[in-house]
Amino acid sequence: MEISLIIRTPGTDPNQCKRAQDFIQSAVDQGHQIRQCFFQGAGVSAALNDRTLPRWRQLAALTGAELLLCSQAVEASALSVPEPFVIAGLGALVEAAVNADRLVSFV
Amino acid sequence: MPIGWCLLSNRKSWLITLAGAAPTSADSPDGTASTDGSDRSALQAGLDLALAAGAFGQRVTLVFAGDGVGLVTRTADAEDPLYRLLGSAPFYDIDSVYVLNKASPKTAFRDDLRVTAMSHREWLAAASEADIVVNY
């Protein structure tokens, strides 16, 4: 099964982001594919903090999933975007949702 | 192939529910919720997604609950950017929006949109029929 994720977890609780990362790891362990992770709102800055970034890099290498940062949130926070993250618009999120078998949100 | 063409040929049904944060003591006495101080970013993000999905030819059912209800009541601030943005929904082929039945029967809804009450049972049925279900 191909899965895409919307991640809006705030950085205030690192466990929330870890839950999304653990979900991805478990899904891949069970033979599923992660198509895209779309980080939106507070999820953007949470994805880029020092505690979570190394594991996102690890998961991107493991799954080949696109890690997309919502362009609005990046612009609003004036963040620099490290690899493997890519800036994307809502069209990419719509595409990810339409083409995946499941869309899972982490809030 | 451009994203738009791929999406137009793959039309799915979406159920997007905008509730924002849980209702607070700032809610108005008629049972509708205030949009002041709530999780406006969630409402904005969900509405943006609904309009984007509509723009790409997706079938969108938009439901308001909790703090989101304030965006469809007539008493809401008509100059609020989010309120005005929602007014553009028909241009994205979102012709009617729904409100989860918590609002009082006396609640007056905005008249620039077709607003229909939806029971929780109907919401569950809509969720089971939709291809994509997202809550904000």
Side-chain angles (χ1 to χ4, degrees):
Chain A
M1 184 179 287
E2 285 196 358
I3 301 170
S4 286
L5 286 83
I6 299 176
I7 299 174
R8 297 193 288 126
T9 54
T12 46
D13 180 0
N15 286 331
Q16 287 181 299
C17 201
K18 186 176 178 302
R19 241 172 262 141
Q21 293 172 326
D22 290 345
F23 172 84
I24 292 170
Q25 183 71 59
S26 299
V28 171
D29 290 346
Q30 291 175 39
H32 301 296
Q33 286 180 295
I34 305 297
R35 187 183 177 92
Q36 285 175 331
C37 298
F38 190 91
F39 297 86
Q40 198 177 18
V44 169
S45 51
L48 301 182
N49 75 40
D50 293 340
R51 284 176 308 213
T52 55
L53 186 54
R55 193 160 179 219
W56 282 123
R57 288 196 166 121
Q58 204 176 39
L59 289 170
L62 174 73
T63 63
E66 291 179 301
L67 302 185
L68 307 179
L69 301 177
C70 175
S71 56
Q72 284 178 339
V74 170
E75 196 176 312
S77 310
L79 295 164
S80 62
V81 177
E83 287 186 16
F85 290 93
V86 175
I87 299 175
L90 285 169
L93 172 55
V94 175
E95 194 225 356
V98 167
N99 292 324
D101 298 309
R102 289 283 186 279
L103 178 67
V104 181
S105 297
F106 285 87
V107 181
Chain B
M1 188 183 291
I3 285 178
W5 286 110
C6 298
L7 293 175
L8 287 170
S9 62
N10 193 1
R11 194 166 193 238
K12 293 200 171 177
S13 59
W14 295 59
L15 177 66
I16 300 179
T17 305
L18 306 185
T24 67
S25 56
D27 295 349
S28 62
D30 67 353
T32 59
S34 163
T35 55
D36 296 335
S38 62
D39 188 357
R40 302 270 302 166
S41 63
L43 296 175
Q44 172 88 54
L47 183 54
D48 285 343
L49 176 59
L51 299 182
F56 284 112
Q58 302 295 303
R59 266 192 313 273
V60 178
T61 299
L62 191 53
V63 181
F64 292 86
D67 281 3
V69 175
L71 290 176
V72 290
T73 57
R74 194 178 291 171
T75 52
D77 177 8
E79 294 305 312
D80 171 41
L82 211 49
Y83 186 92
R84 293 176 63 180
L85 181 63
L86 177 60
S88 69
F91 297 108
Y92 297 85
D93 285 339
I94 303 172
D95 292 321
S96 55
V97 300
Y98 297 85
V99 176
L100 268 187
N101 242 349
K102 203 178 168 188
S104 153
K106 291 179 184 172
T107 303
F109 295 116
R110 56 192 292 173
D111 49 18
D112 59 336
L113 290 175
R114 196 161 54 209
V115 183
T116 308
M118 176 183 262
S119 68
H120 283 89
R121 186 184 293 268
E122 288 169 326
W123 186 91
L124 286 171
S128 66
E129 285 171 15
D131 298 308
I132 297 162
V133 180
V134 199
N135 299 333
Y136 280 86

